[in-house]
Amino acid sequence: MSDSLTTKRILARSLKELCQHRNFEKISINDLTRNCNLNRQTFYYHFQDKYDLLQWLYYDELFKDIENIVTFNNWDQCLLKVLKKIYREKDFYINTINTNGKYFYQDFYDLSQRCFYDAITKLDTNNSISNQEKIFFSEFYTYGISGIILQWIKTNMKTPPEKLAHDLKKIATQSEIFAVELLHN
């Protein structure tokens, strides 16, 4: 592992530790660096601000491992993997996402939108859906799933990750069946 990656992960761990006792918004760069015995200059060498660190942390822990392997055939297993990671550290994710969920939402949205676009393209064996419609349909499903995930986090993850992933898969499967019927009628 590179020195840069090691330093970024030390800063991320420091942020997580501090979030156990404080609201994300109340944590300063001084707090972060003091907690892990690094100086401010080191922090700014790697990140612009704490939001940049937070977005990097979400990506590194949740999305990096699945972004190149997620497909329409395995998206529910990838989603379950992400949900379980979030659930294991629910206090951190509730704290940061309730404070500012846009960084999590954007990464999750981008990944989901690509997956749904690819799925719609594969289902359209007759090439009867325009590119504009594929984008629209993929955005529709992405907004729905992203919104549900964000709401799940903001409401303290009362549903187990396995049930949530199963329910989302069920909706997608029913939509796939409906789409195939529409395309072939």
Side-chain angles (χ1 to χ4, degrees):
M1 184 174 355
S2 73
D3 289 343
S4 178
L5 183 57
T6 300
T7 302
K8 286 179 177 183
R9 288 191 173 154
I10 288 169
L11 289 164
R13 188 172 46 249
S14 178
L15 177 62
K16 284 180 151 186
E17 288 171 5
L18 292 171
C19 280
Q20 290 176 9
H21 310 289
R22 277 190 259 176
N23 182 294
F24 173 76
E25 284 299 322
K26 299 199 186 274
I27 297 170
S28 69
I29 303 305
N30 280 337
D31 296 333
L32 278 166
T33 55
R34 197 175 359 193
N35 187 55
C36 62
N37 297 316
L38 294 174
N39 62 48
R40 284 176 58 89
Q41 204 169 8
T42 301
F43 178 89
Y44 287 113
Y45 177 76
H46 298 283
F47 301 105
Q48 293 178 345
D49 55 29
K50 67 182 183 179
Y51 302 99
D52 190 28
L53 166 60
L54 183 62
Q55 187 170 18
W56 179 86
L57 189 153
Y58 289 155
Y59 174 78
D60 187 60
E61 291 193 350
L62 299 176
F63 306 119
K64 180 182 71 173
D65 291 341
I66 64 168
E67 76 174 337
N68 293 320
I69 63 165
V70 67
T71 66
F72 189 68
N73 295 326
N74 72 359
W75 72 269
D76 58 317
Q77 292 105 11
C78 291
L79 175 63
L80 181 58
K81 184 177 177 179
V82 168
L83 294 177
K84 284 180 172 182
K85 284 181 184 179
I86 292 170
Y87 194 79
R88 277 193 299 272
E89 296 186 62
K90 70 190 291 183
D91 292 338
F92 170 75
Y93 286 98
I94 290 169
N95 180 348
T96 57
I97 289 172
N98 277 333
T99 301
N100 192 332
K102 75 178 183 179
Y103 300 102
F104 170 84
Y105 184 86
Q106 191 59 56
D107 285 344
F108 188 81
Y109 179 91
D110 292 343
L111 189 62
S112 299
Q113 200 274 335
R114 284 193 315 266
C115 183
F116 281 109
Y117 183 88
D118 290 346
I120 292 165
T121 300
K122 287 176 186 165
L123 288 173
D124 185 23
T125 56
N126 299 332
N127 294 322
S128 59
I129 302 175
S130 72
N131 191 51
Q132 186 177 6
E133 288 174 315
K134 289 177 190 177
I135 292 169
F136 176 78
F137 296 146
S138 65
E139 287 177 345
F140 174 82
Y141 284 102
T142 299
Y143 275 115
I145 286 183
S146 299
I148 292 292
I149 302 289
L150 213 52
Q151 189 63 20
W152 174 71
I153 294 167
K154 288 182 173 192
T155 57
N156 299 321
M157 304 179 206
K158 294 175 184 152
T159 304
E162 297 81 4
K163 170 104 172 84
L164 182 58
H166 175 299
D167 290 349
L168 291 171
K169 173 68 174 182
K170 188 175 181 181
I171 289 169
T173 302
Q174 292 302 315
S175 295
E176 179 184 0
I177 292 167
F178 179 69
V180 168
E181 287 176 7
L182 280 177
L183 290 170
H184 292 100
N185 288 331

